[in-house]
Amino acid sequence: AVKEQITLLHGSHRVGKRSDAAMEKWRGYGLGQFIHWGLYAIPGGAWNGKQYNGAAEWIRSWNGIPKSTYDSLNYSFNPTAFDAKAWAKTARQMGAKYVTFTTKHHDGFCLWPSKYTKYTVKNSPYKKDIVKAVVDAYDQEGIDVILYFSVMDWNHPDWRYDLKTKEDSIAFERFKKFTRNQLIELLTNYPTVKGLWFDGTWDKSWVKQAAFADELETEMRKLRPGLIIGSRFRADENGKRHFDSNGVLMGDYEQGWERKIPAKIEDVHGNDWDCVMTVPENQWGYNAAWNGHIKTGNELIEMTARCVSMGGNFVLNFGPKGDGSIRQEEIKLATEIGDWMKINQEAIYNCEYAGYEKQDWGYFTKKSGTDKIYMVVFNVPVSAALRIKTPPKTIIKKAYLLADTQEVFSPEEISGDEYFLHLKKREQSKPFVIVLETAKAE
Ligand code: JFZ
């Protein structure tokens, strides 16, 4: 059914994907790193020896903690082992093409010396600008930087969840100015950043600011042409978030894939998107206990391939400790992923949805702008025969192992457009990639 379009003042400003160079680059990243770091890394998921059940970066919201005690953690923030260059090396070694870094999480503590609040790293024993160190180090490694920014700010006296009284509205007007000032400050201080990753934008107070947020987004884009902003920044005038009242994506990519991956290509509706993922179930900031299932390297590699096969980027979260060092478990995972990427990265970078029917053995990706198809194989069937169903009028010219191009395969045609690719070895401990060089049949 064709739905009637309504006129919106503050809905989406574009139908379809962006096609400029900055966005093309973003689309080709394939794999990224997320870093959640802030004062919450000091308690690390526990307070006075008691484990907090929620996400470690939310510990301030725990009833058992006096807010003023948490808010004084800035006086203990002295990460002696913080080494932005070491972080960036870990990211490069893993194969990350971009990093999203928490400049300010919900607790309001700023990792840069913001002029607009005292609650910053400047008023900690550490003193130095963490955001600058991170941006410089990642720039140097050739990894693009996106700044995470929480609009919700638990520390700011003018933050409100809703605007119920005149007093609330007056306070929130100040808060809006503060938010704008901080965002312009970030873009001005760190001109190399490629985008902003917004969070804490779900409360009624902010959802009601359609006009303000729209203007601010326009202002930021003008200040930094090419800036990439996801769908989690602003709502339209009817309070619709991510997708406006006409169902059109707001912002440059869909930001709703948080710890979940689309089940099928239809679920992404032709939009750009990225999936942000934690190593345990739901812990972004450092949690010393890390309970429950911890994802393995193979699981994370599979998620990367799955995202890329549906045109998305996969972003793996790291939660450095209070002293600034990255925990050993995360270093190990970064190494495992990186070792795999070194051999198989061709199937991940600058790749997109291949247009092939999904098969049980794994994921198809396609090198953008070419006829090169990659089969990222995770589940080898007992028959050791991998099914391929090509789109109509496709010829498979050559099939070979990416890791060893000497190992070629002769696809057996089962029926029109359907083939079996017979593997020689059935036992594999790591996912592997088979390249299909294809052509269009006349
Ligand atoms: C938010 C934060 O509250 C959390 O601490 C972390 O920073 C994460 C990346 O983002 O949590 C969310 C935000 C959005 C959804 C779920 C959790 N969502 O849209 O489903």
Side-chain angles (χ1 to χ4, degrees), residues 75-265:
Y75 300 117
S76 317
F77 187 73
N78 193 16
T80 48
F82 170 62
D83 179 356
K85 286 182 181 158
W87 287 9
K89 280 208 175 72
T90 298
R92 178 174 50 77
Q93 185 280 327
M94 177 171 88
K97 292 288 188 190
Y98 69 128
V99 65
T100 303
F101 182 63
T102 51
T103 59
K104 172 176 99 165
H105 204 264
H106 309 331
D107 65 8
F109 182 66
C110 301
L111 289 174
W112 82 102
S114 177
K115 283 191 292 200
Y116 304 103
T117 170
K118 289 197 168 71
Y119 203 46
T120 80
V121 67
K122 204 175 161 188
N123 291 310
S124 76
Y126 188 74
K127 289 194 174 64
K128 286 168 278 183
D129 184 347
I130 301 259
V131 174
K132 181 172 169 42
V134 168
V135 171
D136 288 350
Y138 280 75
D139 277 354
Q140 213 156 58
E141 292 289 351
I143 298 172
D144 285 348
V145 181
I146 308 257
L147 301 182
Y148 167 107
F149 182 91
S150 171
V151 171
M152 174 168 75
D153 187 324
W154 294 332
N155 180 264
H156 200 286
D158 293 327
W159 165 256
R160 296 290 184 281
Y161 291 92
D162 200 354
L163 309 176
K164 288 188 176 138
T165 65
K166 188 149 178 265
E167 259 37 70
D168 287 340
S169 298
I170 293 168
F172 208 69
E173 284 308 308
R174 287 192 298 262
F175 186 79
K176 282 156 65 181
K177 282 208 185 82
F178 165 70
T179 299
R180 178 196 167 269
N181 283 339
Q182 286 209 317
L183 288 170
I184 301 299
E185 182 180 49
L186 283 171
L187 292 176
T188 308
N189 286 4
Y190 316 104
T192 59
V193 304
K194 301 295 188 285
L196 296 168
W197 203 98
F198 285 100
D199 201 4
T201 53
W202 49 74
D203 288 302
K204 288 201 182 101
S205 53
W206 180 255
V207 171
K208 287 174 182 169
Q209 309 305 324
F212 172 78
D214 194 4
E215 273 159 39
L216 178 52
E217 187 178 314
T218 303
E219 184 185 7
M220 292 189 292
R221 290 187 189 281
K222 234 173 152 170
L223 185 64
R224 291 274 162 262
L227 192 71
I228 292 165
I229 298 176
S231 62
R232 211 187 266 183
F233 180 55
R234 62 186 179 91
D236 76 5
E237 60 261 48
N238 301 317
K240 284 278 195 177
R241 302 178 62 236
H242 294 282
F243 294 89
D244 70 15
S245 300
N246 288 317
V248 183
L249 182 73
M250 315 252 291
D252 301 319
Y253 66 96
E254 193 186 345
Q255 221 183 326
W257 298 104
E258 199 255 286
R259 290 182 296 117
K260 58 180 189 276
I261 299 176
K264 50 188 190 313
I265 186 70

Side-chain angles (χ1 to χ4, degrees), residues 49 54 97 109 171 178 278 322 327 332 348 352 374 385:
K97 292 288 188 190
F109 182 66
F178 165 70
T278 48
R327 68 197 301 159
K332 189 168 166 277
I348 301 296
E352 60 186 29
Y374 302 93

Side-chain angles (χ1 to χ4, degrees), residues 23 53 74 103 133 159 172 193 195 211-212 225 232 289 311 316 350 361 399 402 419 425:
M23 199 66 202
N53 278 329
N74 64 314
T103 59
W159 165 256
F172 208 69
V193 304
F212 172 78
R232 211 187 266 183
L316 181 63
N350 297 309
W361 46 255
L402 179 60
Y419 303 84
K425 291 179 247 123

